[in-house]
Amino acid sequence: MTNPCIICVAITGSLPRKENNPDVPITIAEQVESTQAAFEAGATIAHCHVRNDDQTPTSDPEKFARLMEGLQKHCPGMIIQLSTGGRSGAGKERGGMLPLRPDMASLSVGSNNFPNRVYENPPQLVEWLAGEMLKYEVKPEIEAFDLSHIHQAVALSRQGKLKAPLYVQFVMGVKNAMPADKPTFEVYIETLKRLAPDAQWCGAGIGPNQILLNEWSIAAGGHTRTGLEDNVRLDHDTLAPSNAALVERVAALCEKYERPVATWQQAREILGLRPPQAPAAVSGEVAHG
């Protein structure tokens, strides 16, 4: 295969803490430093969350603005993808950073079970977030925790509520959601290709399933995600020393399958993204609830 593989690094997330792995970056400065090393190792998308000083997750647009500014300065050209996930806020608070006009943002289009709660994504909120992404020219990354989410994303696209071509991430291995199951993974690919032939896709595995999804995705011609958000270990007995170490592991798999690691220029072209731009200041347009 010669098609470039985009590597996304999920640098922090909402759950991992210093107690789980002291190298999880929490402060803005730590996140920028960790992302820069991952960028130099081959990652071209940074999937970003922000935290409070006590390590709890937040959707604070001011923190996202500072993180974006740091990443644009130290990782020039890297695709910045902000999270609108439900662990960091409720309702429209989840999209309060979209006026910052990041390159991308995550978008969950349906609800599902998580390890100890329901991850609620009601249709009205999904459509509002999708509308904000259209308004601010932010490309969604559809988070598919279930096969129905692929169908829903395609339906929203056909209704003009999501701009085609779609970019869909298959998330597998979340407890109580879709397990890392190879036949199901293959059905995901077939379904997306059938319903949205021009779509691009990415595979993300949680915990020990991370390396599994990395290899499945690279071998199947898709893109993939790694990072300390999803997995704080290299193996059962070894903590990952950095986000960069996890990216390096994915880059080695790309070499194994003769897939070049996408440069940031190639990644932007593949995803149809605008050229890098200067950071946007937080304005009065930012939503707070």
Side-chain angles (χ1 to χ4, degrees):
M1 292 182 181
T2 57
N3 58 317
C5 177
I6 299 170
I7 302 176
C8 173
V9 61
I11 53 178
T12 299
S14 294
L15 293 180
R17 298 172 62 91
K18 294 286 190 183
E19 302 94 283
N20 307 122
N21 183 328
D23 290 299
V24 173
I26 300 296
T27 67
I28 300 299
E30 287 175 341
Q31 290 194 56
V32 171
E33 182 179 8
S34 184
T35 306
Q36 183 179 16
F39 182 48
E40 292 170 355
T44 49
I45 299 177
H47 175 74
C48 304
H49 294 247
V50 287
R51 303 284 191 97
N52 296 309
D53 292 342
D54 64 358
Q55 302 192 58
T56 56
T58 177
S59 293
D60 184 356
E62 298 281 354
K63 291 183 184 294
F64 272 119
R66 288 194 291 116
L67 178 58
M68 281 182 61
E69 183 179 13
L71 295 181
Q72 287 166 328
K73 178 180 179 181
H74 295 282
C75 308
M78 192 176 197
I79 297 164
I80 298 174
Q81 180 189 108
L82 304 185
S83 172
T84 66
R87 287 193 176 102
S88 305
K92 292 183 178 181
E93 181 183 7
R94 289 169 51 177
M97 77 297 292
L98 294 175
L100 297 172
R101 297 182 183 267
D103 299 297
M104 301 182 73
S106 60
L107 178 64
S108 297
V109 296
S111 302
N112 58 277
N113 286 339
F114 265 7
N116 47 29
R117 70 184 187 94
V118 176
Y119 182 26
E120 294 186 11
N121 292 289
Q124 297 89 341
L125 178 59
V126 171
E127 293 196 12
W128 181 82
L129 287 169
E132 291 292 284
M133 292 183 198
L134 281 174
K135 178 180 178 181
Y136 294 109
E137 300 180 305
V138 179
K139 185 176 181 69
E141 178 185 81
I142 306 301
E143 309 301 333
F145 293 91
D146 184 85
L147 182 61
S148 64
H149 298 169
I150 296 173
H151 286 268
Q152 181 65 7
V154 172
L156 289 169
S157 177
R158 290 174 177 171
Q159 295 164 19
K161 295 173 181 177
L162 292 175
K163 187 177 178 181
L166 296 173
Y167 187 60
V168 180
Q169 179 164 263
F170 310 144
V171 186
M172 309 188 88
V174 176
K175 184 180 179 183
N176 297 327
M178 188 61 72
D181 178 69
K182 186 70 176 295
T184 302
F185 174 77
E186 291 169 350
V187 168
Y188 275 17
I189 298 172
E190 185 279 327
T191 302
L192 185 63
K193 285 183 176 179
R194 174 169 51 85
L195 298 178
D198 60 347
Q200 294 281 336
W201 62 270
C202 171
I206 307 303
N209 299 298
Q210 184 176 78
I211 191 66
L212 200 59
L213 265 292
N214 291 155
E215 185 153 16
W216 291 354
S217 301
I218 293 166
H223 310 294
T224 197
R225 165 169 139 166
T226 190
L228 291 168
E229 171 177 350
D230 300 336
N231 178 28
V232 297
R233 297 182 175 274
L234 285 176
D235 56 47
H236 183 268
D237 300 315
T238 312
L239 290 176
S242 63
N243 276 303
L246 294 172
V247 173
E248 288 165 0
R249 184 166 68 167
V250 174
L253 282 173
C254 288
E255 184 175 359
K256 174 182 174 181
Y257 288 97
E258 300 181 343
R259 295 278 310 279
V261 174
T263 64
W264 66 261
Q265 295 93 336
Q266 289 172 324
R268 284 181 178 272
E269 182 178 0
I270 290 166
L271 298 175
L273 296 176
R274 61 181 181 263
Q277 59 181 16
V282 179
S283 73
E285 292 182 276
V286 174
H288 290 284

